[in-house]
Amino acid sequence: MKKAIYIGAVSLAMLTGCTKNFDELNSDPGKVTGDLYDPNYLLSKAEFQFANTGYRQLLFQSMWTQALSSTFNYYSNGDKYFGSSNLVSYQNSVWEQDYQAANYVVQMGKLAQDKGLDNLANISVIMKVLIMERVTDCYGDVPYSEAFKAQEGVAQPVYDTQESIYKSMLSELDAAVGALDAGKAKPSADLLYKGDIGQWKKFGYSLMLRVAMRLTKVDAATAKTYAEKAAAGGVFAGTADNAYVLSDNSTGNGNSTSSSLSLTDDFREVRWGKVMIDFLRANKDPRLTVIGEVSDDGLAANNNPALPGDRDSSIQIGMPNGYDLKGGPQDISHAPGYPGGTGSGADFAALGKYSRPTTAIYRNLNGPNFIMSYAETELLLAEAAARGWNVGGTASGHYANGVMAAMTSIATFNASVGAISTTTAQAYVTAHPLNTSSLEASLKMINEQYWAATATLFNFIETWNNWKRSGYPALTPVNYPGNFSGGAIPRRIPYHSGEPANNPTGYQDAVTRMGGDNFTVRTWWDKQP
């Protein structure tokens, strides 16, 4: 029997089980049969869709973690926890886009098995875990064991507990990474590693390490077991292993984050957060010389992306979260330490002295979308070693490697403007060694650097997830009038707005277990410090 493959957009109904228009969806005249379709193409499609987050990460997590800040109303969802236009759309976006990407790799895996493409089949499992880790980290209990089975008649899949999802992900990763075989056929449309199976093994074990470390507060024994297994298997060994997807704007596949930040309002009003710039300045961090710039004086200059800003580290100022440009009590002009604007009259730029993300680095439409970095892996190993787990090396050594890698990896965005030399990075870690006087002192430094690493590589959803897990850096929430979280930094995203109608039993079971469906409910592994 020939299997039908749908190469157009996959509707949400096909992903988690809604039966609306099911027959129509399953009689798509654009379908091709599986024996004619190369499943490799689904790999590149899933990789790009997962990586190219754009507003999916900007509207919420970039500012929930106080890495970025904005006075623009559109960003109040993240900056002030205050609903603005399209709040529900962005509540739904990770669910829709990532379940679709996961569906691509599940279908890829089925076809790959039929065609005897064992490596591609195992990579489909690794990719599914990568994608679904983000889904469950954002929403909590979600469809997993019965997801992607609408063609089998599962129209309303159960919502699995996050605990069971994590245990399944670790087990599936273990089997899939172990089964990769460099002697067998390689993927032919791989955007990450061009089919290099050795690289995929390192990626799989690095992902295993990250999944394991999520469990440090709820199941330390399992976290230890799989962290040690990942380290023994062989994780990332250098920045050449960094996992990122390059964009190609000439083909319509431009970098969505860069594109979003290049829009007029975004360019004018998105700035580095005060917490980030203050952290870099306090530590004399060389990233301060490359990640931020201050525009020329005046509104016209402030709005002109063709004019590079001044990257002199001495003038960089981070903008505090929680303010607007509406003239009332929350106007940015009332912020403590407000430096004043630039220009005058109709050319006055209220934010003119605040640091924006360097245009030549972060607004390249052909730039990279980071998925996972060597820096993150080394910092997680540093934490595992600090906890006394057998992952090889020392906490101090892994910490130094991670911080140096975070600095030098910025050059991936722009090799000249973003370059921080190994010598400069080494001098920094020599002057700022890991504090090993206590476990908590080590955890604080390691996870503050993880926050800085993921944020300066614009991987903000991961910034948020590890902040929830670790509690570092210690952030002071804003309490903007009318906010949707009671003045607390959001810990999860409410479920897709269509789920109460599409899957009422599964949805209600999950909401009852989790204790609600709002921005402040904590998921299973996200426990109080």
Side-chain angles (χ1 to χ4, degrees):
M1 179 178 178
K2 294 182 178 180
K3 295 182 179 179
I5 298 298
Y6 300 87
I7 59 177
V10 182
S11 86
L12 186 63
M14 292 292 289
L15 305 180
T16 60
C18 174
T19 55
K20 182 180 179 182
N21 298 326
F22 185 80
D23 292 336
E24 181 180 348
L25 287 166
N26 279 280
S27 59
D28 184 351
K31 69 187 178 184
V32 306
T33 53
D35 58 326
L36 299 176
Y37 192 79
D38 185 348
N40 282 283
Y41 297 138
L42 291 170
L43 176 59
S44 53
K45 188 172 183 65
E47 288 171 333
F48 188 78
Q49 178 158 315
F50 174 79
N52 200 33
T53 49
Y55 278 129
R56 266 185 285 165
Q57 65 167 343
L58 289 173
L59 265 292
F60 285 163
Q61 292 90 346
S62 74
M63 296 177 192
W64 286 348
T65 55
Q66 298 181 10
L68 297 182
S69 174
S70 182
T71 52
F72 183 38
N73 180 63
Y74 198 54
Y75 283 90
S76 65
N77 305 291
D79 186 75
K80 305 167 199 28
Y81 336 136
F82 181 85
S84 67
S85 59
N86 289 328
L87 171 63
V88 174
S89 174
Y90 290 106
Q91 168 188 328
N92 295 348
S93 63
V94 169
W95 184 283
E96 292 175 350
Q97 295 298 310
D98 286 358
Y99 263 115
Q100 187 178 68
N103 187 68
Y104 291 146
V105 296
V106 168
Q107 296 298 325
M108 176 185 81
K110 293 176 180 178
L111 276 180
Q113 287 180 330
D114 290 346
K115 294 174 181 290
L117 300 174
D118 292 346
N119 281 325
L120 190 62
N122 286 308
I123 287 171
S124 77
V125 175
I126 297 170
M127 284 294 299
K128 185 188 81 167
V129 170
L130 171 73
I131 297 165
M132 290 304 298
E133 182 196 27
R134 185 158 77 189
V135 173
T136 185
D137 287 351
C138 286
Y139 296 99
D141 297 359
V142 296
Y144 187 82
S145 62
E146 292 185 358
F148 321 111
K149 293 185 177 181
Q151 291 171 322
E152 299 171 32
V154 180
Q156 295 181 333
V158 299
Y159 278 58
D160 298 280
T161 66
Q162 189 175 63
E163 179 178 8
S164 68
I165 292 169
Y166 259 80
K167 289 180 178 178
S168 294
M169 291 193 301
L170 286 167
S171 177
E172 291 168 17
L173 265 181
D174 193 14
V177 179
L180 290 172
D181 186 345
K184 295 183 177 180
K186 301 176 181 179
S188 61
D190 174 19
L191 301 179
L192 287 180
Y193 296 120
K194 299 181 179 179
D196 188 317
I197 299 303
Q199 289 290 119
W200 271 100
K201 275 186 172 287
K202 287 192 280 188
F203 178 83
Y205 281 122
S206 298
L207 178 59
M208 180 186 291
L209 173 65
R210 189 174 78 182
V211 173
M213 294 301 287
R214 288 281 201 268
L215 309 186
T216 51
K217 290 182 180 177
V218 291
D219 190 349
T222 298
K224 177 177 183 291
T225 295
Y226 279 95
E228 292 179 346
K229 184 186 290 285
V235 295
F236 287 165
T239 55
D241 297 327
N242 285 345
Y244 59 86
V245 173
L246 285 174
S247 306
D248 183 357
N249 196 52
S250 69
T251 64
N253 296 304
N255 186 301
S256 291
T257 299
S258 299
S259 176
S260 299
L261 291 177
S262 298
L263 297 174
T264 301
D265 293 324
D266 305 61
F267 187 77
R268 183 184 66 250
E269 295 185 41
V270 172
R271 296 291 184 263
W272 281 111
K274 174 177 170 57
V275 178
M276 174 62 73
I277 296 299
D278 286 357
F279 174 80
L280 299 180
R281 186 176 303 287
N283 290 286
K284 297 181 172 60
D285 193 305
R287 281 171 286 196
L288 191 57
T289 66
V290 300
I291 67 159
E293 63 184 14
V294 176
S295 68
D296 291 347
D297 290 352
L299 185 61
N302 203 67
N303 288 347
N304 189 348
L307 293 177
D310 190 339
R311 292 188 290 119
D312 183 344
S313 62
S314 68
I315 66 170
Q316 304 305 317
I317 302 174
M319 186 168 73
N321 297 86
Y323 293 92
D324 57 36
L325 287 174
K326 297 180 179 179
Q330 281 71 46
D331 191 88
I332 190 65
S333 62
H334 300 307
Y338 175 62
T342 62
S344 61
D347 195 43
F348 178 70
L351 310 182
K353 293 182 180 178
Y354 287 124
S355 303
R356 69 190 181 203
T358 303
T359 302
I361 295 177
Y362 297 114
R363 291 182 172 86
N364 177 7
L365 299 182
N366 296 309
N369 286 294
F370 271 84
I371 293 175
M372 191 162 56
S373 69
Y374 170 59
E376 296 166 44
T377 300
E378 281 293 305
L379 290 168
L380 291 174
L381 289 174
E383 178 174 335
R387 293 177 180 274
W389 301 350
N390 182 19
V391 293
T394 65
S396 294
H398 287 302
Y399 174 81
N401 290 342
V403 174
M404 290 176 62
M407 294 177 178
T408 58
S409 291
I410 296 173
T412 309
F413 293 95
N414 186 309
S416 56
V417 178
I420 296 174
S421 71
T422 301
T423 300
T424 298
Q426 180 65 65
Y428 176 87
V429 298
T430 299
H432 301 82
L434 179 66
N435 183 345
T436 57
S437 63
S438 69
L439 175 58
E440 203 56 41
S442 294
L443 294 181
K444 179 178 184 294
M445 287 189 70
I446 290 166
N447 286 289
E448 285 177 344
Q449 287 293 341
Y450 197 99
W451 170 80
T454 51
T456 54
L457 294 179
F458 268 40
N459 190 7
F460 294 116
I461 297 177
E462 180 59 23
T463 308
W464 177 60
N465 283 323
N466 194 69
W467 171 78
K468 291 188 295 179
R469 179 190 73 88
S470 70
Y472 292 111
L475 301 176
T476 301
V478 302
N479 198 3
Y480 192 83
N483 69 81
F484 53 61
S485 65
I489 298 174
R491 312 293 297 201
R492 69 180 284 271
I493 303 172
Y495 287 122
H496 188 283
S497 60
E499 283 298 283
N502 294 338
N503 190 354
T505 300
Y507 168 80
Q508 192 56 56
D509 286 348
V511 171
T512 300
R513 278 196 308 266
M514 293 181 62
D517 183 21
N518 56 56
F519 286 94
T520 58
V521 168
R522 290 182 181 236
T523 65
W524 169 68
W525 60 253
D526 179 19
K527 300 302 181 184
Q528 295 282 359

